[in-house]
Amino acid sequence: MELSAFLTSVGINSAIAVLLFLLYSVLRKQPGNLNVYFGPRLALASETQNYPPSLLRYLPSPSWVVKAWETTEDDILALGGMDALVFVRIIVFSIRIFCIAAVICMFLVLPVNYYGKEMIHHDISSETLEIFTIANVKESSEWLWAHCFALYVITCSACGLLYFEHKSISRTRLAYITGSPPNPSHFTVLVRAVPWSAEQSYSESVKEFFMKYYASSYLSHHMVHRSSRVQRLMNDAEKICRVFKSVSAEQKSKPCLLPCFCGAPNSFEILSNEPDNVRGNIGLDVSNLATEKENAVAFVCFKTRYAAVVAAEILHSENPMLWVTEMAPEPNDVLWSNLSIPYRQLWIRKIAVLVASIAFMFVFLIPVTFVQSLTQLEQLSHAFPFLKGMFKKKFISHVVTGYLPSVILILFLYTAPPTMMVFSTIEGSVSHSGRKKSACIKVLYFTIWNVFFVNVLSGSVIGQLTKLSSVKDVPKHLAEAIPNQVGFFMTYVLTSGWASLSVEIMQPFFLLRNILEKFICRIKNNPPNGTLSFPYQTEVPRLLLFGFLGFICSVMAPLILPFLLIYFVLAYLVYKNQIINVYKKSYENGGQYWPIAHKTIIASLVLTQIIALGIFGIKKSPVASGFTIPLIVGTLLFNEYCRQRFFPSFQKIAAQVLTQMDQQDEQGGRMEEIYQQLKSAYCQFRLISLDLCNIRQADQQRDQDGIRDSEAETAEIGTAEQQVDDTGTADCYMDRQGPISK
């Protein structure tokens, strides 16, 4: 790709980004857009707002940039949770490591690449991007030590930063868990594959099992019912209640231009906040709901966190497919529809999803191959002769080769996240956060495969498979192909990075919906967009993909590093603004995205070193190759150390910490309050959870009281028998024998 074509892409993407950022700074100050750009904050703030003078509201201002920059990590943790903080820490890590890489590579490696061969350089605007890559360095060059030195600096810096980030995030995560209010999920275990019995129901089986083996720590349980239709009705009812309550009591609906979409012009009666009123308007019967068919799944609550962890980790049956336990997700995080999936089907579903994901990746070879054809005008002109005249115009040829391929690929890639979310749902995840994490991993693999490997090993599909069939030649093929594709990677960073950030902050879908509701449907006070959760399944893979490309190209094509740095700095400001203003934390993963980021960074470093080893072999530099091998070994050893030292703390909470938390709650007298919260935390139907759960809790309480009475009676009898043995009075023994026979 010519440098002028790349500069055309830079100009187009920069203009789009600047225009949208300026437009956002104006639109966010308009009172009519508060529910779009300040959804959660608007829901929590008072209705009276102080707006600046009308003239200032129509002038762009950098106030949102200043606010985002001043927002601390404590604010991010309080508003977005641990997942949001980990996301910001990934951005901070990327800024730090690529600042180091940009300094060492731009001032040392880039001049070596540019003057690597004895040649006459023309006007720099007419140069190709390959001139700035390692492909321009001649064989057996003495200057290849610069690339090896830069590789060492980047690897050692990345490992050091990873180590300190691991310590900081682990410490923050532990403080966040211990400092938060009591979480019902710490006391609750999800039990699946409850054995079927013809003599008793699933609920009775669960109660009998845990009262037998966990009599001292068992508190209660909640069964999961197969009632998807009722669940949908309850969710719809909750949404309608929220819409009705957001309208003032005096407000009446305005005339509507689209009655079929917005409804007839009627007055709405505002529902009160009383649960009885809500249940009465919905018309559901608790007694009918209690008879819904039970699933072989239950949420079992324990009296202490330590008891719940012990129950979740122990194998409860000789058959591992029965009485399967794991720690329960948070109540708001439960994906109720997937709890109806039989446990024995999960492994089949995972295999099917794996096959479907691989098939989808291979189907995606078609659009990627088409995109790559756009970067080669000669082949495109031979295939479509009528385009030859158009390609003679320099601006059009620059747009086609420098801007259009990345745009088309991004449009195709928009189908990947929703598809992977469907796959993750079919896979059987029991929580929304788990499904989002699973989709994040799938999208990450998918984008790295299609954006990097397929584009690098471009050509016919058969040719790609032929190249990949010989494993030992992969580093060589990658080393030869990456310098030729660096132009595409740089334009992809511009289009999918800079432009996507400006689109993210604009929220065009919700802005358009807000305009339609206000000016077409005539809804004056539509409810704030408070249920929008952060799209980790799309944004985390994008961050890690750009980091992957940055590590790969840092030594071979360092010209990409300044554009990556600009992206990460913009991402730092944009995403902090979105976390504090737009997105709402409904559930979270507890920082589980950091291990994903760690694995991706280590894989990027190792792949970079392997490709560098292939390049040094092609350039016939045995010294550089020899120094690269210990670097690979050291990186793998560092990864193993982090897996043993830090990863377990992200997967489980230490028993020592849980015991201390239990002791603090007991000393503070909070246990009874926690037990009351657990009674209704995992009820499946929210609006009627109090009635249904109180009925079940009363039954379970009576059962436990009966057991305690029986134990007390047995203890009393044992005391009497001991007294008989001591005194030797047979008449007293016979008098006590009567109640026993009864």
Side-chain angles (χ1 to χ4, degrees):
M1 179 185 294
E2 293 184 359
L3 183 60
S4 55
F6 172 71
L7 293 178
T8 302
S9 178
V10 173
I12 294 174
N13 287 286
S14 300
I16 293 174
V18 171
L19 178 62
L20 292 181
F21 281 133
L22 293 176
L23 188 60
Y24 166 76
S25 66
V26 174
L27 291 177
R28 69 188 298 270
K29 293 185 290 186
Q30 308 308 313
N33 296 327
L34 288 180
N35 63 322
V36 178
Y37 299 118
F38 301 93
R41 291 181 59 184
L42 180 62
L44 298 176
S46 60
E47 295 182 358
T48 59
Q49 298 286 340
N50 295 323
Y51 302 110
S54 58
L55 180 61
L56 296 179
R57 286 198 285 111
Y58 294 98
L59 295 177
S61 64
S63 59
W64 69 272
V65 177
V66 177
K67 177 64 178 177
W69 183 266
E70 293 177 349
T71 302
T72 63
E73 291 187 355
D74 293 336
D75 298 331
I76 296 295
L77 189 62
L79 294 172
M82 196 64 206
D83 287 342
L85 179 62
V86 165
F87 185 82
V88 173
R89 296 304 301 177
I90 295 174
I91 300 177
V92 172
F93 169 84
S94 302
I95 293 175
R96 290 174 176 173
I97 186 59
F98 289 118
C99 277
I100 298 173
V103 171
I104 192 69
C105 293
M106 293 296 293
F107 292 100
L108 179 62
V109 176
L110 186 63
V112 172
N113 291 344
Y114 188 72
Y115 296 103
K117 291 181 179 179
E118 297 180 359
M119 57 181 298
I120 299 176
H121 291 279
H122 304 284
D123 184 15
I124 191 171
S125 61
S126 61
E127 299 277 11
T128 62
L129 291 178
E130 287 75 12
I131 296 296
F132 301 93
T133 67
I134 198 171
N136 195 50
V137 179
K138 64 181 180 179
E139 295 182 359
S140 303
S141 175
E142 297 178 354
W143 288 97
L144 286 173
W145 67 266
H147 301 79
C148 186
F149 175 74
L151 189 62
Y152 262 85
V153 171
I154 293 172
T155 302
C156 295
S157 301
C159 292
L161 290 174
L162 273 178
Y163 176 78
F164 289 111
E165 288 293 339
H166 264 298
K167 291 186 64 176
S168 175
I169 293 175
S170 299
R171 186 166 51 248
T172 304
R173 182 175 182 270
L174 182 59
Y176 179 72
I177 292 174
T178 56
S180 299
N183 192 337
S185 63
H186 294 166
F187 295 85
T188 310
V189 172
L190 176 63
V191 182
R192 310 186 73 176
V194 178
W196 179 82
S197 174
E199 300 176 355
Q200 55 187 2
S201 64
Y202 284 123
S203 180
E204 294 171 345
S205 298
V206 172
K207 179 174 61 178
E208 179 182 355
F209 182 87
F210 284 94
M211 281 186 174
K212 180 178 180 181
Y213 296 106
Y214 298 92
S216 61
S217 59
Y218 168 75
L219 180 64
S220 62
H221 73 275
H222 306 283
M223 296 303 300
V224 176
H225 294 81
R226 190 174 302 167
S227 182
S228 58
R229 181 168 55 185
V230 176
Q231 183 67 49
R232 287 195 297 268
L233 289 174
M234 302 306 298
N235 293 336
D236 294 341
E238 286 182 314
K239 293 178 182 178
I240 293 173
C241 289
R242 285 197 299 268
V243 172
F244 285 175
K245 292 176 184 178
S246 66
V247 187
S248 61
E250 296 82 7
Q251 182 186 0
K252 295 184 178 180
S253 62
K254 303 290 184 179
C256 179
L257 300 179
L258 297 177
C260 58
F261 293 101
C262 306
N266 295 319
S267 300
F268 296 101
E269 179 183 358
I270 307 303
L271 298 177
S272 68
N273 292 326
E274 297 296 330
D276 294 337
N277 192 3
V278 176
R279 288 193 293 271
N281 284 280
I282 295 173
L284 291 177
D285 191 2
V286 177
S287 60
N288 292 335
L289 182 60
T291 61
E292 290 287 344
K293 187 175 181 180
E294 293 178 342
N295 283 322
V297 183
F299 290 96
V300 180
C301 302
F302 291 85
K303 296 180 181 179
T304 62
R305 299 174 179 86
Y306 180 78
V309 171
V310 171
E313 296 297 329
I314 289 178
L315 187 64
H316 290 89
S317 174
E318 295 180 356
N319 184 358
M321 300 293 287
L322 296 177
W323 295 108
V324 181
T325 56
E326 61 179 288
M327 292 302 297
E330 296 181 3
N332 293 333
D333 194 17
V334 178
L335 189 59
W336 294 100
S337 58
N338 275 7
L339 291 177
S340 300
I341 301 174
Y343 182 77
R344 60 182 178 273
Q345 291 184 6
L346 293 182
W347 69 275
I348 301 176
R349 286 172 171 262
K350 291 180 180 179
I351 294 176
V353 167
L354 178 61
V355 174
S357 301
I358 295 175
F360 184 60
M361 292 174 66
F362 278 101
V363 169
F364 217 79
L365 290 175
I366 299 174
V368 175
T369 304
F370 169 72
V371 166
Q372 277 302 310
S373 66
L374 295 177
T375 62
Q376 302 173 1
L377 289 183
E378 295 181 0
Q379 297 181 3
L380 199 61
S381 300
H382 287 299
F384 304 99
F386 60 91
L387 296 177
K388 289 184 178 180
M390 184 181 300
F391 290 155
K392 291 181 179 179
K393 299 179 180 179
K394 185 169 293 188
F395 178 76
I396 294 179
S397 65
H398 289 170
V399 171
V400 171
T401 58
Y403 180 71
L404 198 57
S406 57
V407 172
I408 295 176
L409 181 59
I410 291 171
L411 293 177
F412 279 109
L413 286 175
Y414 277 133
T415 61
T419 303
M420 297 307 175
M421 283 290 285
V422 172
F423 287 166
S424 299
T425 304
I426 297 174
E427 205 170 32
S429 178
V430 297
S431 63
H432 295 280
S433 60
R435 178 180 62 173
K436 191 170 286 188
K437 176 186 173 184
S438 177
C440 170
I441 297 173
K442 293 181 178 64
V443 173
L444 177 62
Y445 291 159
F446 182 85
T447 52
I448 289 178
W449 165 257
N450 285 286
V451 175
F452 179 72
F453 287 101
V454 177
N455 278 286
V456 167
L457 305 175
S458 59
S460 63
V461 178
I462 298 178
Q464 295 172 16
L465 295 177
T466 302
K467 290 181 179 181
L468 291 176
S469 61
S470 181
V471 179
K472 64 179 181 179
D473 294 334
V474 169
K476 178 181 177 181
H477 288 302
L478 292 176
E480 293 175 346
I482 287 176
N484 298 327
Q485 294 297 328
V486 65
F488 172 79
F489 294 148
M490 294 172 69
T491 57
Y492 184 84
V493 169
L494 295 173
T495 307
S496 181
W498 296 11
S500 68
L501 287 176
S502 59
V503 173
E504 162 66 28
I505 202 170
M506 276 292 295
Q507 295 288 314
F509 173 78
F510 295 103
L511 180 63
L512 179 61
R513 190 186 71 173
N514 180 63
I515 294 174
L516 292 176
E517 289 177 347
K518 288 185 178 297
F519 297 102
I520 297 181
C521 297
R522 301 292 184 179
I523 300 176
K524 185 177 180 181
N525 292 325
N526 48 342
N529 188 28
T531 58
L532 191 64
S533 60
F534 196 92
Y536 293 105
Q537 73 277 11
T538 60
E539 304 311 313
V540 172
R542 180 179 284 116
L543 284 181
L544 297 180
L545 173 65
F546 288 152
F548 180 88
L549 294 177
F551 282 116
I552 296 295
C553 299
S554 58
V555 175
M556 289 175 287
L559 199 60
I560 195 176
L561 295 176
F563 302 99
L564 272 177
L565 265 179
I566 294 174
Y567 164 77
F568 284 119
V569 172
L570 290 176
Y572 179 76
L573 298 173
V574 169
Y575 287 122
K576 286 179 69 174
N577 176 80
Q578 300 299 87
I579 290 171
I580 63 178
N581 291 326
V582 177
Y583 295 114
K584 178 182 177 182
K585 185 193 73 170
S586 301
Y587 47 83
E588 64 174 345
N589 245 324
Q592 293 296 322
Y593 293 103
W594 178 251
I596 299 175
H598 169 89
K599 294 176 183 177
T600 306
I601 293 169
I602 293 296
S604 305
L605 288 173
V606 172
L607 184 60
T608 301
Q609 295 157 5
I610 293 175
I611 295 174
L613 188 63
I615 291 177
F616 295 148
I618 294 174
K619 298 297 181 179
K620 298 179 180 180
S621 177
V623 176
S625 300
F627 276 100
T628 305
I629 295 176
L631 196 60
I632 299 175
V633 176
T635 305
L636 294 176
L637 291 176
F638 171 77
N639 176 60
E640 186 61 25
Y641 169 78
C642 289
R643 282 200 333 108
Q644 301 294 332
R645 170 64 178 84
F646 298 110
F647 277 27
S649 62
F650 284 91
Q651 299 169 358
K652 301 175 183 178
I653 304 176
Q656 179 184 6
V657 175
L658 296 175
T659 304
Q660 291 175 357
M661 295 172 67
D662 290 333
Q663 292 174 351
Q664 292 174 0
D665 289 335
E666 290 178 358
Q667 294 172 0
R670 294 185 292 269
M671 296 307 295
E672 290 299 327
E673 180 183 352
I674 294 173
Y675 294 160
Q676 291 296 325
Q677 182 183 3
L678 290 173
K679 288 183 178 180
S680 59
Y682 286 94
C683 280
Q684 190 170 357
F685 309 104
R686 291 294 179 186
L687 293 181
I688 56 179
S689 60
L690 294 178
D691 291 340
L692 184 59
C693 292
N694 287 337
I695 293 173
R696 291 178 178 167
Q697 294 297 330
D699 294 338
Q700 294 172 6
Q701 186 66 32
R702 283 196 298 269
D703 293 335
Q704 291 183 346
D705 292 341
I707 291 175
R708 285 194 292 268
D709 293 341
S710 177
E711 292 176 351
E713 183 179 356
T714 303
E716 181 182 355
I717 294 171
T719 303
E721 291 177 351
Q722 184 65 31
Q723 292 175 356
V724 170
D725 293 336
D726 294 339
T727 59
T729 306
D731 292 339
C732 181
Y733 177 79
M734 294 303 296
D735 291 339
R736 295 290 183 181
Q737 190 70 11
I740 298 177
S741 62
K742 294 179 183 180

